[in-house]
Every structure is written in C-alpha cells, then in structure tokens.
Amino acid sequence: MSSISSKKLILVIGATGAQGIAVIDKLLAPSEDGSPSPYLVRALTRDPTHVRAKNLASKGVELVKGRFDDFKAVAAALQGAYGAYVNTDGFTVAEEIEVWSGIRIFELAKQAGVKHYVWSNLDYSFKLTGYNPEYRCSHYDGKGRVADFMQAQPSIVSGRDMTWSVVTSGPYMDMLQQGVFGPFNRRADGTFVFAAPIGQGHVPMIALSDLGFFARYTFDNRELTSGKDLQVASDLVGWDYLVSTFKKVTGLNAVALYQPMDEWFENFSGTEKHVANEGPGGEFVSWKTNFTAWWSLWRDDIIKRDWEWIRKVNPKGHTLETWMRAYNYGETINSGPTLLKNVEDTKSVTMNKERIVQL
Ligand SMILES: NC(=O)c1ccc[n+]([C@@H]2O[C@H](COP(=O)([O-])OP(=O)(O)OC[C@H]3O[C@@H](n4cnc5c(N)ncnc54)[C@H](OP(=O)(O)O)[C@@H]3O)[C@@H](O)[C@H]2O)c1
C-alpha cells in the first residue's frame, strides 16, 4: 500500500478563508517527531479558479466545487473522508442559514461514515448571558446553537462510529494587521491610534497559527477530544496592554483611544447593511447591531478562557508580544494581502477616511 492511501482525508469547509488556510497548513505539516503528516485535505470552495483555491491546490489540496448550503455538493464532498473541519461563514450567509447548514452538514457527515467531525465554533453569547439582547451577536450565536445541537449527539470512538469535537475560538490576533483591531490612523507626529469601544475590557484573541495548532491537536487526539468543546485562545488583550506591548516591541509611539460605541461605528461607512453579505435569511441584523453586541462581549469581559489548560496543551502558543515579534508588527501593518476573503470579495463596509484622519 502506498503511503498516500494510508493517510486520513479531511474535508475542510471554509478552506480558502483566513482560518481554513491556517488550519490546512497545520494539517499538512510534518508531525512533531518529524514524520510526514498523516492527513490529506479536500477543500470545498465556491470557486476553484480563485487564487486562494489555486494556492491550496499547489500544496496538494484536492478542490471540490460547491457551497456549504448546497447539501448535495456537501454530501458528495464528504464521500471517503475520515474527518471534517467545518467552518461555515456567518458573514456570507445569514444566521438562520448557518444554523441549518451546521446541523445538516453534521447529519450528512454521519451518513457518509466520517469518523471525526470538528465544528469550528464561537461562543453562544446570547445563551451565555441569560438571553440578554445586548449580547445577541449573530455570527457567534449561529455557530453556538449548532455546537449545542452537537452536545445532544453521541460521540463514540470506534472504527464504525463518528466522534465529534468542537473548537471554540475567538477574534483572530491577525486582525491587528488590518481591520477592526489594527490602528485606524497614524498621526502626523508618527503616533499610531488604536481606537476601540472596549473600555477596560479584554479580547481573548487567537493567533491563526494557534487555531491551526488546536485543529491539528483535535484530529491527532480523537479519543481525548471526543465529545469535548475545546475553548481556545492565545492571549487576553486589553487596549492598554496592546499599546504598551506595541511600544515595547516596535519602539514606535501609540495611543489607545477609548471611543464610545456609536462614535466607533462612525469610523466606518455602510454599517447599516445586513451582517451577512448575501442578506437576511429572516430577521434583519445590521452589521452595526451585530458588532455592537460583539464589542459589548469584550467590554464587559463576558467570554472566559481556561488559560492554564491552554498553556498546558499549547506551550509554544503565542502571546501578544511573541506574535508581534514573529510578524514584524509595526512594519507590516496594512501591508500584506487582505486577511479575510469575505472582505476581499465584498467591500461593503469601508473605513470613513475623512473621519479617521482626525483621530
Ligand atoms: N474574523 C475573525 O476574527 C474570526 C474568528 C473566529 C471565527 N470567525 C468565523 O469564521 C468564519 C469566516 O471564516 P474566515 O474567518 O476564514 O473568513 P474568510 O477569510 O472571509 O473566509 C470565508 C470562507 O468561507 C467560505 N464560504 C463562504 N460562504 C460559503 C458558502 N456558501 N459555501 C462554501 N464556502 C463558503 C469561503 O470559501 P469560498 O469563497 O472559497 O467558497 C471562505 O473559505 C465566520 O463564520 C466567522 O464568524 C472569524
């Protein structure tokens, strides 16, 4: 038997995205002991001709065309897969569609004989806060409801049955390079301005390389992670800590600007659009409503992580400082390719340039 045929095939949904690329890189990397990766990857994508898909193909990833809410395409893509890493996208499809897709893809994986099913999750913030509408964050609750459904399903480690695991992550540390966490403005005197409506709260950020680590760890440890919700992160970041770490690492000057919620949204145009690019699936949730809830989660320190467990499982994981050093932060802000494919594809919410130069 060739070494290729003995490898385990993992279907990745969301493969061309920021998260998918990081996960695939870790799945295909050699094991800790230097032996070749035991995995092969198949990617579901709406556009196999896109440069991101082609880059995956050049790493040996098999491309399959389809949408995750086209269940015929998903069923076909699951055929012969040992595992699935499923990161649906609540910024493309509405929350209602994401929830239904999450449930159906799980069922289809069972039907196809998948052995290890990994759901890429976000905290079910509405439930966590006793159904407080202030924290009803659409792109969190959509995934969180699916994870709750999975908790009601069996997870059996055997040659015949399907095991499930949930990997609950959070905002990417890599979003410091661009987008909502990065500095919006550099003043004439060279000072970087990190503006956020976070008050004295914190974001449990995850470096994409660490998210890739935890995805690989989950597949590598089927028995240990069976039926478990792995709540992962890299470092707990408040904006005073962000600015002091930035100054320490880069030697550049920076300030934290603690804006009130409504004022922060004025840094953008187009915030009244629906949070999902393809529009509502029922309820209308604007980008602003969604991200007001999202920032409120951090401002009020709602989401907790077990840092002792995280550091024990991933002792080489990043802190904010090691991440900034690894990516030469300061020099590289806004210089790389667009992190999120969604943002690259649809520039519907944009920076309000006239406003941010005044920050
Ligand atoms: N930004 C963050 O900090 C963060 C942190 C944790 C989790 N998340 C979650 O991650 C998800 C987005 O993934 P990402 O961060 O990797 O963003 P991204 O870079 O914008 O990637 C989006 C991915 O979703 C895929 N996709 C979108 N609609 C699809 C559909 N109908 N069928 C099949 N594939 C579809 C895209 O594939 P194709 O275009 O190739 O079809 C692409 O791979 C969101 O649900 C978000 O809530 C985001």
Side-chain angles (χ1 to χ4, degrees), residues 106-159:
F106 179 92
E107 291 174 345
L108 291 170
K110 273 223 141 181
Q111 194 179 302
V114 165
K115 298 293 172 294
H116 196 174
Y117 185 88
V118 181
W119 174 247
S120 173
N121 192 38
L122 291 167
D123 297 81
Y124 188 174
S125 55
F126 193 35
K127 181 179 175 186
L128 265 176
T129 57
Y131 302 94
N132 182 340
E134 203 184 338
Y135 305 107
R136 211 189 98 43
C137 179
S138 182
H139 73 285
Y140 271 51
D141 294 338
K143 291 191 190 303
R145 279 190 205 94
V146 175
D148 260 25
F149 158 81
M150 286 169 61
Q151 293 282 355
Q153 312 307 319
S155 182
I156 300 164
V157 186
S158 80

Short mmCIF file of all heavy atoms in Angstrom, two decimals, residues 106-159:
data_model
loop_
_atom_site.label_atom_id
_atom_site.label_comp_id
_atom_site.label_asym_id
_atom_site.label_seq_id
_atom_site.Cartn_x
_atom_site.Cartn_y
_atom_site.Cartn_z
N PHE A 106 -23.53 18.17 9.76
CA PHE A 106 -23.24 17.15 10.78
C PHE A 106 -23.95 15.84 10.43
O PHE A 106 -23.34 14.77 10.44
CB PHE A 106 -23.70 17.66 12.16
CG PHE A 106 -23.47 16.69 13.28
CD1 PHE A 106 -22.31 16.72 14.02
CD2 PHE A 106 -24.43 15.71 13.59
CE1 PHE A 106 -22.09 15.81 15.05
CE2 PHE A 106 -24.22 14.80 14.61
CZ PHE A 106 -23.05 14.85 15.34
N GLU A 107 -25.24 15.94 10.11
CA GLU A 107 -26.01 14.73 9.78
C GLU A 107 -25.43 14.03 8.54
O GLU A 107 -25.32 12.80 8.50
CB GLU A 107 -27.48 15.08 9.53
CG GLU A 107 -28.20 15.52 10.79
CD GLU A 107 -29.62 16.00 10.51
OE1 GLU A 107 -29.96 16.27 9.34
OE2 GLU A 107 -30.39 16.13 11.47
N LEU A 108 -25.08 14.84 7.54
CA LEU A 108 -24.54 14.26 6.30
C LEU A 108 -23.20 13.58 6.56
O LEU A 108 -22.88 12.57 5.93
CB LEU A 108 -24.37 15.35 5.23
CG LEU A 108 -25.68 15.92 4.68
CD1 LEU A 108 -25.41 17.15 3.81
CD2 LEU A 108 -26.44 14.86 3.88
N ALA A 109 -22.42 14.13 7.50
CA ALA A 109 -21.13 13.52 7.83
C ALA A 109 -21.35 12.15 8.47
O ALA A 109 -20.66 11.18 8.17
CB ALA A 109 -20.33 14.44 8.75
N LYS A 110 -22.35 12.09 9.35
CA LYS A 110 -22.70 10.78 9.96
C LYS A 110 -23.10 9.78 8.89
O LYS A 110 -22.64 8.63 8.87
CB LYS A 110 -23.90 10.97 10.91
CG LYS A 110 -23.51 11.38 12.28
CD LYS A 110 -24.32 10.59 13.29
CE LYS A 110 -23.60 10.18 14.42
NZ LYS A 110 -23.59 9.58 15.49
N GLN A 111 -23.96 10.25 8.00
CA GLN A 111 -24.46 9.42 6.90
C GLN A 111 -23.32 8.91 6.02
O GLN A 111 -23.34 7.78 5.56
CB GLN A 111 -25.40 10.30 6.08
CG GLN A 111 -26.30 9.63 5.11
CD GLN A 111 -27.17 10.69 4.43
OE1 GLN A 111 -27.91 11.44 5.09
NE2 GLN A 111 -27.07 10.78 3.12
N ALA A 112 -22.30 9.75 5.83
CA ALA A 112 -21.18 9.40 4.93
C ALA A 112 -20.14 8.52 5.60
O ALA A 112 -19.19 8.09 4.96
CB ALA A 112 -20.53 10.67 4.40
N GLY A 113 -20.27 8.32 6.91
CA GLY A 113 -19.31 7.46 7.61
C GLY A 113 -18.04 8.17 8.05
O GLY A 113 -17.00 7.53 8.28
N VAL A 114 -18.13 9.48 8.18
CA VAL A 114 -16.98 10.25 8.70
C VAL A 114 -16.68 9.79 10.13
O VAL A 114 -17.59 9.49 10.90
CB VAL A 114 -17.32 11.77 8.66
CG1 VAL A 114 -16.36 12.59 9.50
CG2 VAL A 114 -17.32 12.26 7.21
N LYS A 115 -15.38 9.76 10.49
CA LYS A 115 -15.02 9.25 11.83
C LYS A 115 -14.82 10.38 12.85
O LYS A 115 -15.11 10.23 14.03
CB LYS A 115 -13.72 8.43 11.74
CG LYS A 115 -13.85 7.20 10.85
CD LYS A 115 -14.81 6.20 11.47
CE LYS A 115 -15.15 5.04 10.57
NZ LYS A 115 -15.91 5.38 9.36
N HIS A 116 -14.28 11.50 12.39
CA HIS A 116 -14.05 12.59 13.35
C HIS A 116 -14.52 13.91 12.73
O HIS A 116 -13.97 14.36 11.72
CB HIS A 116 -12.56 12.67 13.72
CG HIS A 116 -12.31 13.48 14.96
ND1 HIS A 116 -11.07 13.58 15.54
CD2 HIS A 116 -13.15 14.21 15.75
CE1 HIS A 116 -11.16 14.34 16.63
NE2 HIS A 116 -12.41 14.74 16.76
N TYR A 117 -15.52 14.49 13.36
CA TYR A 117 -16.16 15.70 12.85
C TYR A 117 -15.82 16.86 13.78
O TYR A 117 -16.11 16.81 14.99
CB TYR A 117 -17.68 15.47 12.83
CG TYR A 117 -18.46 16.60 12.21
CD1 TYR A 117 -18.71 16.61 10.85
CD2 TYR A 117 -18.95 17.64 12.99
CE1 TYR A 117 -19.44 17.64 10.27
CE2 TYR A 117 -19.68 18.66 12.42
CZ TYR A 117 -19.93 18.67 11.06
OH TYR A 117 -20.65 19.68 10.49
N VAL A 118 -15.20 17.88 13.23
CA VAL A 118 -14.79 19.03 14.06
C VAL A 118 -15.54 20.28 13.61
O VAL A 118 -15.44 20.69 12.45
CB VAL A 118 -13.26 19.24 13.99
CG1 VAL A 118 -12.84 20.42 14.88
CG2 VAL A 118 -12.51 17.98 14.40
N TRP A 119 -16.26 20.85 14.53
CA TRP A 119 -17.05 22.07 14.26
C TRP A 119 -16.27 23.28 14.77
O TRP A 119 -15.94 23.36 15.97
CB TRP A 119 -18.41 21.97 14.98
CG TRP A 119 -19.26 23.21 14.91
CD1 TRP A 119 -19.60 24.03 15.95
CD2 TRP A 119 -19.91 23.77 13.75
NE1 TRP A 119 -20.41 25.05 15.52
CE2 TRP A 119 -20.62 24.91 14.16
CE3 TRP A 119 -19.96 23.40 12.40
CZ2 TRP A 119 -21.37 25.70 13.28
CZ3 TRP A 119 -20.70 24.19 11.51
CH2 TRP A 119 -21.39 25.30 11.95
N SER A 120 -15.98 24.19 13.87
CA SER A 120 -15.30 25.42 14.28
C SER A 120 -16.35 26.37 14.83
O SER A 120 -17.24 26.84 14.11
CB SER A 120 -14.60 26.03 13.06
OG SER A 120 -14.09 27.29 13.42
N ASN A 121 -16.24 26.67 16.10
CA ASN A 121 -17.33 27.31 16.83
C ASN A 121 -16.94 28.68 17.38
O ASN A 121 -15.76 29.05 17.46
CB ASN A 121 -17.71 26.39 18.01
CG ASN A 121 -19.00 26.78 18.67
OD1 ASN A 121 -19.95 27.20 18.01
ND2 ASN A 121 -19.05 26.67 19.99
N LEU A 122 -17.98 29.43 17.73
CA LEU A 122 -17.81 30.66 18.52
C LEU A 122 -18.79 30.58 19.69
O LEU A 122 -19.81 29.88 19.59
CB LEU A 122 -18.07 31.90 17.65
CG LEU A 122 -17.02 32.15 16.56
CD1 LEU A 122 -17.48 33.19 15.54
CD2 LEU A 122 -15.69 32.60 17.18
N ASP A 123 -18.47 31.28 20.75
CA ASP A 123 -19.29 31.18 21.97
C ASP A 123 -20.75 31.60 21.69
O ASP A 123 -21.01 32.61 21.01
CB ASP A 123 -18.71 32.08 23.06
CG ASP A 123 -17.31 31.65 23.48
OD1 ASP A 123 -16.36 32.02 22.76
OD2 ASP A 123 -17.16 30.95 24.48
N TYR A 124 -21.67 30.85 22.27
CA TYR A 124 -23.11 31.13 22.13
C TYR A 124 -23.42 32.26 23.12
O TYR A 124 -23.92 32.03 24.21
CB TYR A 124 -23.86 29.84 22.44
CG TYR A 124 -25.35 29.81 22.18
CD1 TYR A 124 -26.06 28.62 22.34
CD2 TYR A 124 -26.06 30.95 21.79
CE1 TYR A 124 -27.42 28.55 22.11
CE2 TYR A 124 -27.42 30.90 21.57
CZ TYR A 124 -28.09 29.70 21.72
OH TYR A 124 -29.45 29.64 21.51
N SER A 125 -23.15 33.48 22.70
CA SER A 125 -23.13 34.60 23.64
C SER A 125 -24.53 34.92 24.20
O SER A 125 -24.65 35.30 25.37
CB SER A 125 -22.52 35.83 22.98
OG SER A 125 -23.19 36.15 21.79
N PHE A 126 -25.55 34.77 23.38
CA PHE A 126 -26.91 35.10 23.83
C PHE A 126 -27.29 34.18 25.00
O PHE A 126 -27.77 34.62 26.05
CB PHE A 126 -27.85 34.91 22.64
CG PHE A 126 -29.23 35.49 22.82
CD1 PHE A 126 -29.43 36.66 23.53
CD2 PHE A 126 -30.33 34.87 22.22
CE1 PHE A 126 -30.71 37.20 23.67
CE2 PHE A 126 -31.61 35.40 22.36
CZ PHE A 126 -31.80 36.55 23.08
N LYS A 127 -27.02 32.89 24.83
CA LYS A 127 -27.35 31.91 25.87
C LYS A 127 -26.48 32.14 27.13
O LYS A 127 -26.98 32.10 28.25
CB LYS A 127 -27.14 30.50 25.33
CG LYS A 127 -27.48 29.41 26.33
CD LYS A 127 -27.29 28.03 25.74
CE LYS A 127 -27.50 26.95 26.78
NZ LYS A 127 -27.17 25.62 26.26
N LEU A 128 -25.18 32.37 26.85
CA LEU A 128 -24.23 32.56 27.97
C LEU A 128 -24.62 33.71 28.89
O LEU A 128 -24.26 33.74 30.06
CB LEU A 128 -22.86 32.91 27.40
CG LEU A 128 -21.84 31.83 27.17
CD1 LEU A 128 -20.61 32.40 26.51
CD2 LEU A 128 -21.49 31.19 28.52
N THR A 129 -25.33 34.71 28.32
CA THR A 129 -25.68 35.89 29.10
C THR A 129 -27.14 35.87 29.54
O THR A 129 -27.72 36.92 29.81
CB THR A 129 -25.41 37.17 28.26
OG1 THR A 129 -26.18 37.08 27.04
CG2 THR A 129 -23.95 37.33 27.94
N GLY A 130 -27.72 34.65 29.58
CA GLY A 130 -29.12 34.54 30.03
C GLY A 130 -30.07 35.18 29.04
O GLY A 130 -31.09 35.76 29.42
N TYR A 131 -29.74 35.09 27.74
CA TYR A 131 -30.58 35.63 26.66
C TYR A 131 -30.78 37.15 26.81
O TYR A 131 -31.87 37.68 26.64
CB TYR A 131 -31.92 34.86 26.56
CG TYR A 131 -31.66 33.39 26.33
CD1 TYR A 131 -31.60 32.49 27.39
CD2 TYR A 131 -31.40 32.92 25.04
CE1 TYR A 131 -31.30 31.15 27.18
CE2 TYR A 131 -31.10 31.58 24.82
CZ TYR A 131 -31.05 30.70 25.90
OH TYR A 131 -30.75 29.39 25.68
N ASN A 132 -29.68 37.81 27.12
CA ASN A 132 -29.68 39.27 27.20
C ASN A 132 -29.46 39.84 25.79
O ASN A 132 -28.42 39.61 25.19
CB ASN A 132 -28.54 39.70 28.13
CG ASN A 132 -28.49 41.21 28.32
OD1 ASN A 132 -29.03 41.96 27.51
ND2 ASN A 132 -27.84 41.64 29.38
N PRO A 133 -30.44 40.59 25.25
CA PRO A 133 -30.34 41.05 23.86
C PRO A 133 -29.13 41.95 23.60
O PRO A 133 -28.69 42.08 22.46
CB PRO A 133 -31.65 41.82 23.64
CG PRO A 133 -32.24 42.04 24.98
CD PRO A 133 -31.70 40.99 25.90
N GLU A 134 -28.57 42.53 24.66
CA GLU A 134 -27.39 43.38 24.49
C GLU A 134 -26.22 42.58 23.89
O GLU A 134 -25.35 43.13 23.24
CB GLU A 134 -26.98 43.92 25.88
CG GLU A 134 -26.17 45.18 25.78
CD GLU A 134 -25.70 45.66 27.16
OE1 GLU A 134 -26.33 45.29 28.19
OE2 GLU A 134 -24.71 46.39 27.20
N TYR A 135 -26.20 41.28 24.13
CA TYR A 135 -25.08 40.44 23.68
C TYR A 135 -25.50 39.47 22.58
O TYR A 135 -24.85 38.48 22.36
CB TYR A 135 -24.52 39.65 24.88
CG TYR A 135 -24.13 40.52 26.04
CD1 TYR A 135 -24.89 40.56 27.21
CD2 TYR A 135 -22.98 41.31 25.97
CE1 TYR A 135 -24.53 41.36 28.27
CE2 TYR A 135 -22.61 42.13 27.04
CZ TYR A 135 -23.39 42.14 28.18
OH TYR A 135 -23.03 42.94 29.23
N ARG A 136 -26.60 39.77 21.89
CA ARG A 136 -27.05 38.85 20.84
C ARG A 136 -26.28 39.12 19.55
O ARG A 136 -26.64 39.94 18.73
CB ARG A 136 -28.55 38.97 20.60
CG ARG A 136 -29.11 37.64 20.18
CD ARG A 136 -30.53 37.67 19.70
NE ARG A 136 -30.72 37.71 18.27
CZ ARG A 136 -30.06 37.01 17.34
NH1 ARG A 136 -29.07 36.21 17.69
NH2 ARG A 136 -30.37 37.12 16.07
N CYS A 137 -25.20 38.36 19.43
CA CYS A 137 -24.25 38.56 18.35
C CYS A 137 -24.49 37.46 17.32
O CYS A 137 -24.24 36.28 17.58
CB CYS A 137 -22.84 38.52 18.93
SG CYS A 137 -21.56 38.72 17.70
N SER A 138 -24.95 37.88 16.15
CA SER A 138 -25.44 36.93 15.15
C SER A 138 -24.38 35.91 14.72
O SER A 138 -24.65 34.71 14.65
CB SER A 138 -25.90 37.75 13.94
OG SER A 138 -26.41 36.97 12.95
N HIS A 139 -23.16 36.37 14.45
CA HIS A 139 -22.17 35.41 13.93
C HIS A 139 -21.59 34.54 15.03
O HIS A 139 -20.90 33.55 14.74
CB HIS A 139 -21.09 36.11 13.09
CG HIS A 139 -20.05 36.91 13.83
ND1 HIS A 139 -20.31 38.14 14.38
CD2 HIS A 139 -18.75 36.66 14.08
CE1 HIS A 139 -19.20 38.61 14.93
NE2 HIS A 139 -18.24 37.72 14.78
N TYR A 140 -21.86 34.87 16.30
CA TYR A 140 -21.49 33.99 17.42
C TYR A 140 -22.62 32.99 17.71
O TYR A 140 -22.40 31.78 17.83
CB TYR A 140 -21.17 34.83 18.66
CG TYR A 140 -19.70 35.21 18.72
CD1 TYR A 140 -19.09 35.81 17.62
CD2 TYR A 140 -18.92 34.94 19.83
CE1 TYR A 140 -17.74 36.13 17.64
CE2 TYR A 140 -17.57 35.26 19.86
CZ TYR A 140 -16.99 35.85 18.77
OH TYR A 140 -15.64 36.16 18.78
N ASP A 141 -23.85 33.51 17.81
CA ASP A 141 -24.98 32.66 18.19
C ASP A 141 -25.27 31.59 17.13
O ASP A 141 -25.65 30.47 17.46
CB ASP A 141 -26.23 33.52 18.42
CG ASP A 141 -26.07 34.43 19.62
OD1 ASP A 141 -25.22 34.11 20.49
OD2 ASP A 141 -26.76 35.45 19.71
N GLY A 142 -25.08 31.95 15.86
CA GLY A 142 -25.32 30.98 14.78
C GLY A 142 -24.49 29.72 15.00
O GLY A 142 -25.00 28.60 14.97
N LYS A 143 -23.21 29.92 15.24
CA LYS A 143 -22.33 28.76 15.45
C LYS A 143 -22.62 28.08 16.80
O LYS A 143 -22.63 26.85 16.90
CB LYS A 143 -20.86 29.20 15.40
CG LYS A 143 -20.41 29.64 14.01
CD LYS A 143 -18.90 29.81 13.97
CE LYS A 143 -18.40 30.46 12.70
NZ LYS A 143 -18.78 29.80 11.46
N GLY A 144 -22.83 28.90 17.82
CA GLY A 144 -23.03 28.36 19.18
C GLY A 144 -24.25 27.45 19.27
O GLY A 144 -24.22 26.42 19.96
N ARG A 145 -25.31 27.79 18.54
CA ARG A 145 -26.52 26.93 18.55
C ARG A 145 -26.20 25.56 17.96
O ARG A 145 -26.71 24.54 18.43
CB ARG A 145 -27.63 27.57 17.74
CG ARG A 145 -28.38 28.64 18.48
CD ARG A 145 -29.63 29.04 17.69
NE ARG A 145 -29.98 30.40 18.09
CZ ARG A 145 -29.58 31.48 17.45
NH1 ARG A 145 -28.87 31.36 16.35
NH2 ARG A 145 -29.91 32.67 17.90
N VAL A 146 -25.37 25.56 16.91
CA VAL A 146 -25.01 24.28 16.27
C VAL A 146 -24.21 23.42 17.26
O VAL A 146 -24.43 22.22 17.40
CB VAL A 146 -24.21 24.51 14.96
CG1 VAL A 146 -23.76 23.18 14.38
CG2 VAL A 146 -25.06 25.28 13.96
N ALA A 147 -23.29 24.06 17.98
CA ALA A 147 -22.50 23.31 18.98
C ALA A 147 -23.41 22.74 20.06
O ALA A 147 -23.19 21.62 20.54
CB ALA A 147 -21.43 24.22 19.58
N ASP A 148 -24.46 23.49 20.43
CA ASP A 148 -25.42 22.98 21.43
C ASP A 148 -26.14 21.75 20.89
O ASP A 148 -26.36 20.77 21.62
CB ASP A 148 -26.44 24.06 21.77
CG ASP A 148 -26.11 24.75 23.08
OD1 ASP A 148 -24.91 24.76 23.45
OD2 ASP A 148 -27.03 25.29 23.73
N PHE A 149 -26.54 21.81 19.63
CA PHE A 149 -27.17 20.64 18.99
C PHE A 149 -26.22 19.44 19.03
O PHE A 149 -26.63 18.32 19.35
CB PHE A 149 -27.54 21.00 17.54
CG PHE A 149 -27.69 19.81 16.64
CD1 PHE A 149 -28.88 19.07 16.62
CD2 PHE A 149 -26.65 19.40 15.81
CE1 PHE A 149 -29.00 17.96 15.80
CE2 PHE A 149 -26.77 18.30 14.98
CZ PHE A 149 -27.96 17.57 14.98
N MET A 150 -24.94 19.68 18.76
CA MET A 150 -23.98 18.57 18.74
C MET A 150 -23.82 17.94 20.12
O MET A 150 -23.62 16.73 20.25
CB MET A 150 -22.62 19.07 18.20
CG MET A 150 -22.65 19.32 16.70
SD MET A 150 -21.19 20.18 16.08
CE MET A 150 -19.90 19.04 16.50
N GLN A 151 -23.92 18.77 21.16
CA GLN A 151 -23.79 18.24 22.54
C GLN A 151 -24.85 17.17 22.81
O GLN A 151 -24.66 16.31 23.67
CB GLN A 151 -23.95 19.36 23.58
CG GLN A 151 -22.83 20.40 23.57
CD GLN A 151 -21.55 19.94 24.26
OE1 GLN A 151 -21.51 18.84 24.83
NE2 GLN A 151 -20.50 20.75 24.18
N ALA A 152 -25.95 17.22 22.07
CA ALA A 152 -27.03 16.24 22.27
C ALA A 152 -26.81 14.97 21.45
O ALA A 152 -27.63 14.05 21.50
CB ALA A 152 -28.37 16.88 21.92
N GLN A 153 -25.74 14.93 20.66
CA GLN A 153 -25.48 13.76 19.81
C GLN A 153 -24.40 12.88 20.45
O GLN A 153 -23.49 13.40 21.12
CB GLN A 153 -25.00 14.21 18.42
CG GLN A 153 -25.85 15.29 17.78
CD GLN A 153 -27.33 14.95 17.74
OE1 GLN A 153 -27.70 13.81 17.45
NE2 GLN A 153 -28.17 15.93 18.07
N PRO A 154 -24.47 11.58 20.18
CA PRO A 154 -23.42 10.70 20.72
C PRO A 154 -22.08 10.98 20.06
O PRO A 154 -22.03 11.45 18.92
CB PRO A 154 -23.91 9.29 20.37
CG PRO A 154 -24.88 9.49 19.26
CD PRO A 154 -25.48 10.84 19.42
N SER A 155 -21.00 10.71 20.77
CA SER A 155 -19.64 10.82 20.19
C SER A 155 -18.90 9.57 20.62
O SER A 155 -18.51 9.42 21.78
CB SER A 155 -18.95 12.08 20.73
OG SER A 155 -17.68 12.22 20.14
N ILE A 156 -18.74 8.66 19.68
CA ILE A 156 -18.20 7.34 20.04
C ILE A 156 -16.92 7.09 19.27
O ILE A 156 -16.87 7.24 18.05
CB ILE A 156 -19.24 6.24 19.71
CG1 ILE A 156 -20.52 6.48 20.51
CG2 ILE A 156 -18.68 4.84 19.99
CD1 ILE A 156 -21.73 5.72 20.02
N VAL A 157 -15.88 6.71 20.03
CA VAL A 157 -14.60 6.41 19.38
C VAL A 157 -14.59 4.93 19.02
O VAL A 157 -14.50 4.07 19.89
CB VAL A 157 -13.41 6.72 20.32
CG1 VAL A 157 -12.08 6.53 19.58
CG2 VAL A 157 -13.51 8.14 20.88
N SER A 158 -14.71 4.65 17.73
CA SER A 158 -14.64 3.26 17.27
C SER A 158 -14.33 3.29 15.78
O SER A 158 -14.30 4.36 15.18
CB SER A 158 -15.97 2.54 17.51
OG SER A 158 -16.88 2.87 16.48
N GLY A 159 -14.11 2.16 15.21
CA GLY A 159 -13.84 2.08 13.78
C GLY A 159 -15.08 2.36 12.94
O GLY A 159 -14.99 2.63 11.75
#
